[in-house]
C-alpha cells in the first residue's frame, strides 16, 4: 500500500509528463508550420542548453529526414574551443547545414562585456553579427 504522499508525488509526476509532452507536441507543430509557410527559415543555434533543446525538437519534427532549414550561430568568439568542436562535429553528424556569422570588426576591436557592458557588447557582437 502506498502512502498519501507517494500517491500525490506519482500523480504530480504523471501530470508533469503530460504537460511536457503537450509542450513538445506544440513546439513540433510550430516548426512544421514554419517550414510549410515560409520560404527561407533559419534557426539560431548558440550551442547552449536552450538552443540544443530546440535543435532536438527540430530533429524530432522532421524525423527520419534531415532538418529542412539551416542552423545559424552568431559567434562572439567567446566559446570554449571544445564547444566549437562539438558544434561542428554534431552538425556534420546530423547532416545540418550550419551558417556561422561573426562581427569581425568588433571582435577585432576587443569587444567584451566587462568593458562595454552586456547590452552594448551583445549589440555589437550578436545583433550586428546577425
Amino acid at each position: 500500500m502506498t502512502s498519501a504522499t507517494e500517491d500525490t508525488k506519482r500523480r504530480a509526476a504523471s501530470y508533469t509528463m503530460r504537460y511536457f509532452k503537450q509542450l513538445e507536441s506544440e513546439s513540433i507543430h510550430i516548426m512544421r508550420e514554419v517550414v510549410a509557410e515560409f520560404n527561407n527559415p533559419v534557426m539560431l543555434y548558440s550551442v547552449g542548453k536552450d538552443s540544443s533543446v530546440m535543435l532536438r525538437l527540430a530533429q524530432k519534427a522532421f524525423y527520419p529526414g534531415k532538418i529542412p532549414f539551416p542552423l545559424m550561430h552568431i559567434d562572439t568568439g567567446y566559446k570554449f574551443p571544445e564547444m566549437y568542436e562539438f558544434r561542428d562535429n554534431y552538425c556534420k553528424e546530423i547532416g545540418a547545414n550550419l551558417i556561422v556569422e561573426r562581427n569581425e570588426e568588433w571582435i577585432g576591436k576587443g569587444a567584451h562585456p566587462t568593458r562595454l557592458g552586456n547590452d552594448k557588447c551583445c549589440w555589437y557582437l550578436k545583433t550586428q553579427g546577425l
Side-chain angles (χ1 to χ4, degrees):
M1 182 171 218
T2 62
S3 71
T5 303
E6 290 171 349
D7 189 49
T8 300
K9 286 180 183 178
R10 183 183 48 76
R11 279 188 274 135
S14 174
Y15 172 78
T16 301
M17 285 308 298
R18 284 196 309 267
Y19 179 67
F20 286 147
K21 288 288 186 185
Q22 179 184 350
L23 289 176
E24 178 184 68
S25 179
E26 289 174 8
S27 299
I28 288 171
H29 175 76
I30 290 167
M31 285 187 187
R32 289 175 178 165
E33 283 294 309
V34 165
V35 168
E37 297 293 327
F38 294 93
N39 292 329
N40 197 19
V42 64
M43 186 170 78
L44 293 176
Y45 177 55
S46 69
V47 197
K49 59 188 180 306
D50 296 340
S51 65
S52 293
V53 169
M54 292 294 294
L55 178 54
R56 181 66 185 125
L57 288 168
Q59 288 177 292
K60 286 184 170 189
F62 301 103
Y63 180 82
K66 292 181 181 178
I67 299 168
F69 45 78
L71 306 177
M72 179 180 275
H73 181 201
I74 307 300
D75 183 14
T76 62
Y78 290 116
K79 300 238 182 258
F80 293 110
E82 295 84 359
M83 291 182 79
Y84 292 116
E85 183 181 353
F86 172 81
R87 176 199 69 191
D88 295 343
N89 290 339
Y90 192 65
C91 287
K92 186 176 180 180
E93 178 183 321
I94 66 172
N97 179 18
L98 176 66
I99 300 167
V100 179
E101 293 293 336
R102 294 166 52 105
N103 187 337
E104 296 295 348
E105 176 186 355
W106 280 92
I107 289 172
K109 289 179 181 181
H112 194 275
T114 58
R115 279 190 266 139
L116 298 174
N118 285 335
D119 290 345
K120 195 171 186 180
C121 185
C122 283
W123 189 81
Y124 285 120
L125 294 181
K126 293 181 181 180
T127 306
Q128 293 302 305
L130 180 60

